[in-house]
Amino acid sequence: METSCSFLSCDHDDDERSWTMEDYAGAIPRWCPGCGDHAILAAVERLLETEQLPPERTVFVSGIGCSSRFPHYLTTYGFHGIHGRALPIATGVKLRRPDLHVFAVMGDGDCCSIGAGHWIHAVRYNVDMVALMLDNGIYGLTKNQTSPTTPQGHPSNTQPKGSHLMPLNPLSATLGVSNASFVAQTADWMPAHVYATIAAAFRHRGFSFVRILQRCPQYTDDLFQEAVRNPNLVEMLVHPDGVDAPELEKIFKNRRVHDPKDLDMGRHLAEPFDRIRLGIFFRDESRQRYEELRHQRIHTAQERIDRLNEEFEKYAV
Amino acid sequence: MPSDERTAAILAALAAPRDAYRSALAATLDEVRVYRDARREGAADRHMQLGASLGLVGVAHVDVDRLAAVLSVEAALEPAAQAVMPRALAVLESLAARGDDACALTLVPGENLYEAVSRLFADLGRAIGAGRVVDLARSGRYRPADHDRWLEAFPFGQWSQAERRMAPPVVIELEGSDLRPAGLAEFLDGGAKIVLVVHGETSPAPLVRLITPRTFVAQTADVAVVQRLAAWDGPGIAGIFPAGGARFVHDPGVAGGIGARLTITEVPTLDGRRRAGPFSATQQQDELDQLKALQGAAAADLAVPVAPQPATPADPVDKLAAWLLQQADLSGA
Amino acid sequence: MGSPPATRPEREVRDSVVIRFAGDSGDGMQLTGLQFTQETALAGSDLATFPDYPAEIRAPAGTTYGVSAFQIHFGTQDITSVGDELDVLVAMNPAALKVSLPDLRMGGSVLVDTSAFSDRNLQKAGYAANPLDDDTLAPFQVLKLDVTRHTLDAVDGLGLSQKEALRCRNMWALGLMLWMYGRSRKATVEWIGKKFAKEEAIRDANLRALNAGHAFGETAEMPSHVSGYSVAAAELASGMYRTVSGTEALAWGLLVGIKKAGLTRLVLGSYPITPASPLLHTMAGFKDYGVVTFQAEDEIAAVCAAIGASYAGALGVTSSSGPGIALKGEAIGLAIATELPLIIVNAQRAGPSTGLPTKTEQSDLYQAIYGRNADAELIVVAAATPSDSFEVGIEAVRLATKYMTPVIVLTDGFLANAAEPWLIPDVDLVAEFPVAYRTDPDGFMPFARDDATLARPWAVPGTPELEHRIGGLERSAQTGNISYDPDNHQAMTNTRAAKIARVAADIPPQAVSLGPDHGAVAVVGWGSTYGPIHQAVRLLRAEGHDVAHLHLRYLWPFPSNLADLLRRYDRVLVPEMNTGQLVNVLRAQYLIPAEGINQVTGKPFKVSDIERAVRTRLEA
Amino acid sequence: MSSSSPVVTKKARASKDAAGPVVIRVPEHTVEIVSDSGEGAQKCGQIFGQVSAKMGNGAWTVEIIPAEIQPPARSGPGASGNRIRIGTQPVTNWGDAANLVVAFNEQALLARHELEALHEDAIVLVENRWATHDDDDIRREWTTAMEVLGKQDYRIIPVPMEEQCLTVTDNPRRGKNMFVLGMLAWIYDRDIELIRDAIRQSFRKKAEAVARANIELMELGYRWAEANLDFRVEVPIEKPPTPMIVLNGNQALAMGAVAAGMDLCAMYPITPATSVSHYLGEIFEDFGGIVHQAEDEIAAAGVAIGASYAGKVAFTVTSGPGLALKTEFIGLATMTEVPLVVLDVQRGGPSTGLPTKVEQSDLLAALYGQPGDAPKVVMAPATIEECFHMVVTARRIAELFRCVVMVLTDANLATGVQPFPRPQLDPRWQAAPPDLRPVPEGVKPYDWDPASGLSRRFIPGQPGGMHTLTGLSHDEYSHVGYSPDVHERGCAMRSRKLAVFQTTLKPPGVYGDTKGDLLVVGWGSTKGAIEEAVDRARARGLRVSSLHLRILSPLEPGLKEIFSRFRKVATVEINYSDRLGDPYITRENRRLGQLAWLLRAHTLVDVDCWTRVPGQPLRPKGILEGIESMMPGGHA
């Protein structure tokens, strides 16, 4: 139930206000030139404008890393937290204030390494929020260390002879968690698709996990180079209930119909490392949402006193 | 007091949206109380309020006067604003004190449904009116002549979009002959939800004219439909009818087009041309025709091919076949 | 060393010089600085450096918060700080000029690239008017050179894009500076050759730019008032030197430590965090020396892996910075309870919370001593200088293995990155402290103790008949079995504390770094403030003030003579880059009215900051 | 129900009284009940303590808990049970030793004896079936134990508990505790109807027959005692003037959170803090509150911070190892100035340590455990009553000063039960709903008042207040700032709030004369035991007073002046300190009690300390010895 806290300071003039993309812009981004984060920020601003989200009722929570600077570059409420912990903070916000639109922005190290425990449980809690995982396959801010999604063999400062292990597959992992309700993937070099995907994520009621393949010009310049140059390496998952970016149809001809209701197929499609598939892998609005299960009615101070006095009776001398 | 046993079940099903309204009411009440306490006339009284708020350990260890000196003091209210605070509080307290039955109403036969719902919302809306009065008072814009009446009644028409989202659900018991729903469209906005418990004969599909893409509309004998109404995060109306008449549910919570949203389980035929209450036979036929038209639209919506390729069939064997076909990638062939 | 050109006036002789290279974070200033440092070290100067870079990988070009700088202080004798004021500022753009100009001494030199002073860049730097045109630079000697054009000219014909060509500006500037201070280009030429081995055009461009900059000074193109300088080699003890950063020295120290302990393996569990990551990077290259680096999934896993390695007979090391140490708190408690050797390196940064990741502070001392639940004692040591880090690394290994205890090594962001020349020590002269794993099953009890050290035996899994279990729950004093007995808990707590207390007798007594061992004022420091304190005390002593400098390596437990020593001074002043932590520990422990000199600007102390603060106290 | 039971009516008892048992009339008496874990001695003790308190006796109960769920049977470390000290006057601590002990086996009894838990002339009621047990080893153990115990001055009364229980149940292991409860009810003349109510309440979630069977066993014990024992104990009851309630410390914390109007508790299970959330879990939803059991300790802190940021002050509850994990988040709350209440129920350490045992060793971790300079408020309640009221204060202070408030209790308060005056609830204790009025033009998210460091908090939903909180160093606009003055200023503002709070504090009061030879300073749950020891010392003519601190950061003001009126100042704490005279320990390198350390740094007064870490609450007797050992020499 989308409610504000009280009848006080309730927007009396909600219908008369409107916002442009500029209204949502914050500080000038300090990401490197060529960083994929810029495009993602633009797509998010476009979403805010389209949905006309009141800036004061929109909250972006982030962890630590390059991508976690995100909230600073928007004029909404923001909480730039600590490494790996964006999701617990966001959960706390939404638990107490279901009326707020909550977004969590994380990097791959943030979400899949130090924050992995929270990630698994946030998927299970299925609190209504949009979780954007900006995956550049490297630790950028701390200057070039292997991340859980670094491709095997890619050298870094910590694994100079190349990453030892197969990378973690964030899509498969998320799809494997009980109560997952929305899992999608998009890529920063297709702004229209990024927009369409996060718009679908926003409209989904539940925890929407979006992995965004994101280029880092500094350390993983080559990671998506081939896919950027050759659209045929990318497979678009399409469906009337999926995401639609009609302007991309001509460029990305490699299209596959995938019904987001089909979890088994979604898992199957998410599995291979060597294929870049973009679109919605799974969506199910009927999953339990923690904040709704736990939402409590607010009582007046006097009601609480009366009730606590009843409780005292049980322990009275 | 609800006379119909169904009303109790309906009220129970509407607990969530009603709690939202009562939560807002409770929060408003406490916020106004704290606001008032923090701005008492006279430093001594204000310090007493601050001291009390610290609890007993706080009082034992904190010098409240020194603490008060550290904290910034918000300007006292002007006298008129000061004076209206207790009145606003009284309105909120009286609404909070009323039980959940406050949202239910039984129409006296012959009474105008539109006016009764109007009055009910205007009465419940006094919580909003009181909130607005407090807001105006504390920002120095309160004018008794313009705003005092909001404490007496605050009609739905004046509620903002955000306030309408917090509208309490209402349950009305009425005779079928009094069911003139057209005027109710005005209230179907924000989060407002109306449930009509109908006794006696009425026209076959009176609510069909209220169907719009974002409005939940149901005609049924089954009280359980109210749970779906309660779960919908928007406006809606449900009529609980005795036997006879059309049966349908239009649930905008279901994703997809009209075909997905609208489920029609019964479309009666008119047995002869006769009036039902105020409704002429022509009007009744018109309602049914509209329902059939929607049924047609729904069917057409579902028939539209959903994808360039056929949707994945549900049967496992077909699924496999379809998948194999896709893998074959015949697009170039 | 280059010889002075015949056409130029004699080179001016200087004792020491402070240069700062400042430019946009994409301008390669750190590389420039490092190369200059390298050449300077090879020329035999003593030196200290201070890299200062923005937290973002690449902040927007041309802005003041995107400025990256590298400062080097070099000279003929005993350089212990990075220098307060700049003698020379190389500013590659207006933002760099704006940020660094306040630090340039009156009459100092500033080199600017005139091409970079476009309207757009001026605006981004927040200049209303072009400082090259007004009297902003009047108090200084200004070298207005079109570095951009000179660079483009130099690399012309190599077929580089404009962007690639412009990236060589730093090499041009480096070439000029190397000329100005009579430094060789040899090492830089080699370095360029290696770095760009696979990209010939880029390699050639960098070489050409470097040489062109040098030639620019060599030929008569320089304004007549600018001459070269001569800074003689420092009178350093003979031996082989290399420049070393605190991180490298610590890494080598740990490595020598395990060799001296007779251990075959060092396992470093770590997780990326600024400014601690370089240790992980450095150690990652030591695979051949028995070092296993494990970049764990998070800070907690990193320390737990190190604890596991220690249990298995290796030396477990974990490295992080304040926020990461916060996460490791619970596991460090486990290492204390299980009494395993563990080294925790904390490269401190400014806090609280995420704070200032790339800036320096000493505010984790409390956390080191007290930052775990319950009475959880361990050893805390701090490195004072980059080369001191080497000895601290060895000492940490010695104490951790001898006393079977975690040791926290405090460094900081400044120390970790700063470099100085280091006389490569003869490791044969380092005493051995071999570890004896327990192998004898006769009378083995996992928590029976060595009489002298109170350390429990280190029994490594795989040793027959020594099967035993350890854990965080309180253990019976001998058997190690879980025990809730009140007397046992009291006894175990006593023993754990006594074990650490004994360390005080096993470490060198506190010495005085400079000045007499009694008198009016003792200035007591710890960690990376060594240089500025030392210089300040020297200056004050030169003026005849009765001041001494004491610098603590051992922060818990303290050396046994420390209280007596401190009481021999009338006043004790404690400069720290925090709001007063060591000073409180000294007050509580010894009840001496020590006073703090505190600064938390994220920057190292300047000599003058300390000098002024001490002088004020002297005059009060 | 069975109120018509013929045997246990008032009349029946009166006649028996007249007939013969000796009545021991005392102002206070201490009872211990010990059994194997799982035999229900704790339930028996809890009901006995509660009923005693409800009848109007002063009472203090302490749980005797093994750390494992199922330790081996008949083992000393497995002893589980309760100590209940009852008195005519209010009781403030668990006392020195038990006057009456009921033991379900002789090994548990022996363990208590070895821990000096028994008074030298204690009356001991012990299950006698072990004496004739089939197992030779057990019989031998019994004999050995009885030899040891027989050398003491105890009065040992063997009781055929199992044999008696078998007459009404086929599983005596589950019924003995009720039999014992009945015995105690007769010995102490407890109100039998209150006991029946308590049994019914205790089994309310089970079938009614269960409660009935337990009541039957209890009555059996009552009858047996009446028929077989030759003594009774009378601790006269003086009804307190005000209405009282009986709670343990964790219940009091939970109710305090309700009374403070807080509505979100995020936690992760950890002994001994968890029961706060158990109790809260039962009632919180009725008040509109949520108990969120997070996936780990770190997430619990994060959720609380998120909820606090978006509305009312939220709280998290934990114990030492959990606190260690929350450290980074506590730093974030400090830096972002998001108000947060952290309840730390301390236990024995380091590391996992002694999960169920008492210690006061997290003080410095709370104050200094974070990286960077992270000032926060730290408080510690001294009584169960204060557990309740302090949560109200903590929430309000957190809100007013936009800071982290840590409340340190311990396992002693957490599980102890004590009656205290029923709080007169005040609506003003409760948090107001978030105020979402638009932010006035030009007000910044950290509009620090330069004099006080205070600023107004913006909450999501407030138009015009959009900003991004960050754990990075930031300026008034919450913009990340790396310039030296920005960081210095932020540090100053966060620190200044604490200085300002200190100026609003009243100096603490002294218990006893305001000058003398020794001032004992304590904090937390030791108050009752310290004051009892001080009373005894004064009765012996020692010039001793005590002072108990509730607010430890910032320290309550005026300490230096108070200390100056005593020849010596020393703390009494349940944490570790080196003892002078131990090997290697000198005046200089001595590790001090944690509060002592703090007081020395702040006052430069040579504060001594007497501390112990037995994992148990301190006994007045022990503290008295400590006081005597610390008395400054020379004339008395």
Side-chain angles (χ1 to χ4, degrees), chain D residues 398-522:
Chain D
E399 179 183 74
L400 284 174
F401 287 86
R402 289 184 75 172
C403 66
V404 176
V405 179
M406 310 233 342
V407 178
L408 305 181
T409 76
D410 61 38
N412 186 20
L413 290 172
T415 57
V417 171
Q418 187 194 26
F420 63 84
R422 175 173 170 155
Q424 297 300 302
L425 298 169
D426 188 326
R428 292 168 296 190
W429 293 349
Q430 298 192 20
D435 177 352
L436 298 183
R437 267 182 292 167
V439 171
E441 199 81 26
V443 178
K444 303 162 207 151
Y446 294 98
D447 226 346
W448 293 305
D449 174 344
S452 67
L454 294 175
S455 55
R456 186 186 140 164
R457 177 160 74 113
F458 295 178
I459 294 169
Q462 279 187 271
M466 286 78 73
H467 69 288
T468 293
L469 293 183
T470 176
L472 289 163
S473 210
H474 51 258
D475 63 13
E476 286 90 336
Y477 295 93
S478 197
H479 292 162
V480 177
Y482 291 107
S483 76
D485 47 330
V486 165
H487 184 58
E488 183 108 40
R489 181 168 157 77
C491 282
M493 290 297 113
R494 288 185 294 272
S495 178
R496 195 157 301 164
K497 292 190 296 188
L498 273 270
V500 166
F501 180 46
Q502 189 179 34
T503 65
T504 72
L505 292 176
K506 301 175 187 167
V510 173
Y511 180 80
D513 287 350
T514 53
K515 59 182 190 197
D517 291 332
L518 177 67
L519 177 70
V520 174
V521 186

Side-chain angles (χ1 to χ4, degrees), chain A residues 1-15 57 205 238-241 254-259 262 264-265 268-269 277 285 295-304, chain B residues 17 19-33 96 100 127-128 131-132 134-135 138 160-163 165-166 193 230-233 306-307 309 312 319 323 326-327:
Chain A
M1 215 48 52
E2 296 238 335
T3 57
S4 184
C5 287
S6 81
F7 292 124
L8 291 174
S9 317
C10 196
D11 289 300
H12 307 319
D13 53 356
D14 229 16
D15 297 338
R57 286 210 297 274
R205 293 222 295 160
V238 295
H239 191 270
D241 291 341
N254 198 356
R255 291 158 72 82
R256 171 198 289 271
V257 175
H258 168 62
D259 182 350
D262 188 344
D264 287 345
M265 181 56 83
H268 174 79
L269 294 174
R277 293 192 165 112
E285 286 231 329
H295 197 53
Q296 299 300 327
R297 175 167 149 189
I298 298 169
H299 300 266
T300 63
Q302 194 55 50
E303 284 167 345
R304 294 163 72 101
Chain B
D19 276 356
Y21 167 77
R22 298 195 67 81
S23 283
L25 182 58
T28 312
L29 185 57
D30 277 0
E31 202 183 332
V32 174
R33 173 181 59 78
D100 292 341
I128 296 166
R132 286 217 194 173
V134 170
D135 266 341
R138 61 189 188 176
S160 76
Q161 186 54 227
E163 288 158 348
R165 274 201 295 272
M166 288 187 276
K193 294 177 176 61
W232 164 235
D233 188 20
V306 294
Q309 293 168 39
T312 320
K319 257 164 98 172
W323 183 76
Q326 281 167 23
Q327 296 300 305

Side-chain angles (χ1 to χ4, degrees), chain D residues 122-267:
Chain D
I123 302 169
V124 175
L125 298 158
V126 57
E127 162 73 86
N128 69 0
R129 67 176 284 243
W130 313 108
T132 56
H133 200 276
D134 295 344
D135 187 327
D136 293 347
D137 289 345
I138 289 179
R139 284 202 310 280
R140 208 172 303 121
E141 282 167 14
W142 166 274
T143 312
T144 317
M146 283 303 140
E147 274 168 18
V148 174
L149 295 166
K151 289 184 189 136
Q152 313 298 319
D153 291 334
Y154 304 144
R155 183 179 172 212
I156 300 175
I157 306 171
V159 180
M161 296 181 195
E162 180 151 335
E163 186 188 308
Q164 283 291 313
C165 290
L166 279 170
T167 63
V168 294
T169 175
D170 46 10
N171 184 2
R173 193 176 144 77
R174 291 210 164 269
K176 269 187 208 174
N177 61 338
M178 289 296 128
F179 178 87
V180 169
L181 181 60
M183 289 199 315
L184 293 172
W186 182 79
I187 295 170
Y188 290 93
D189 195 13
R190 301 291 88 172
D191 183 329
I192 208 79
E193 198 45 51
L194 278 179
I195 289 185
R196 288 197 192 103
D197 280 349
I199 294 174
R200 280 183 212 114
Q201 173 67 17
S202 168
F203 293 103
R204 68 189 183 283
K205 289 175 186 164
K206 302 240 172 84
E208 208 190 312
V210 177
R212 218 178 301 127
N214 277 283
I215 289 171
E216 197 183 335
L217 280 158
M218 183 273 292
E219 290 170 355
L220 180 70
Y222 192 101
R223 284 194 302 268
W224 184 90
E226 187 174 39
N228 293 284
L229 295 180
D230 60 357
F231 70 95
R232 298 186 83 172
V233 180
E234 186 187 350
V235 180
I237 288 168
E238 287 174 16
K239 275 277 180 191
T242 51
M244 307 282 276
I245 57 171
V246 195
L247 298 175
N248 71 32
N250 278 359
Q251 285 172 327
L253 286 175
M255 282 192 188
V258 172
M262 295 205 274
D263 57 18
L264 187 127
C265 165
M267 49 66 67

